Amino acid sequence: MWYVIEGYDDDNVLARRLAARPEHLARLTALAEAGRLLLAGPCPAIDAPDPGPAGFSGSLVVAEFESLEAARTWADADPYVAAGVYARTEVRPFKRVLP
């Protein structure tokens, strides 16, 4: 089943986000290579594709896992969590309709 994972950035964490990004992307790449990633990306903190020093307000991942528990376990192990980038994460089931 598909699950939405939303990470909400804490304040003033852009430097930590950038430092943890390679490990974060490696995990997403592994999901993509396994055919389990629908989409992933950051949410700019301002209305611009490149927010510069304003940074990001969080991230969204939609991926396939065997259970809600497995999705939560994967989300909890994210390098952004370990680096203190995310103030909180939410994981919930997602029903894909389009495309």
Side-chain angles (χ1 to χ4, degrees), residues 13-96:
V13 294
L14 183 57
R16 283 185 264 164
R17 176 183 264 274
L18 295 174
R21 189 169 188 263
E23 288 178 77
H24 173 78
L25 289 179
R27 295 177 81 231
L28 292 170
T29 299
L31 281 178
E33 289 173 351
R36 297 174 42 210
L37 183 65
L38 182 60
L39 65 91
C43 301
I46 61 173
D47 189 14
D50 180 359
F56 299 90
S57 62
S59 301
L60 177 76
V61 174
V62 179
E64 189 174 35
F65 294 93
E66 59 190 50
S67 67
L68 180 58
E69 182 180 333
R72 285 185 176 142
T73 298
W74 187 90
D76 289 345
D78 194 290
Y80 284 174
V81 171
V85 173
Y86 293 154
R88 68 180 166 64
T89 58
E90 293 183 9
V91 181
R92 59 187 187 273
F94 177 77
K95 180 178 164 97
R96 182 179 179 180

